[in-house]
Amino acid sequence: MRTEAEIRERIEELEAEYDDYDPPSSEFEDAAEVAVLRAIEELEWVLEEYDGAAGFTTS
């Protein structure tokens, strides 16, 4: 299981990568981007946890 620090670091990496390709044009867009990135990180975490516990595969 990832620590909070690892999760926050991953979100920052995703946000920086996203900004490189499509920088936010407003404060609302920036807030929405952060929410989406957090959701992506949570989904990655859930899939990793489920895969480890139940043998779930994404293929």
Side-chain angles (χ1 to χ4, degrees):
M1 183 173 184
R2 294 185 203 181
T3 65
E4 181 179 346
E6 290 172 323
I7 291 171
R8 289 186 185 278
E9 183 178 326
R10 176 69 174 136
I11 291 171
E12 288 174 16
E13 289 171 6
L14 288 169
E15 188 172 6
E17 183 178 333
Y18 184 85
D19 284 347
D20 287 345
Y21 293 103
D22 187 18
S25 59
S26 69
E27 185 177 331
F28 173 76
E29 189 175 301
D30 192 43
E33 172 188 316
V34 169
V36 168
L37 294 172
R38 285 183 179 150
I40 290 169
E41 175 57 30
E42 287 182 31
L43 180 58
E44 288 177 344
W45 177 79
V46 167
L47 289 174
E48 286 176 8
E49 289 294 306
Y50 189 75
D51 186 36
F56 179 77
T57 62
T58 55
S59 56

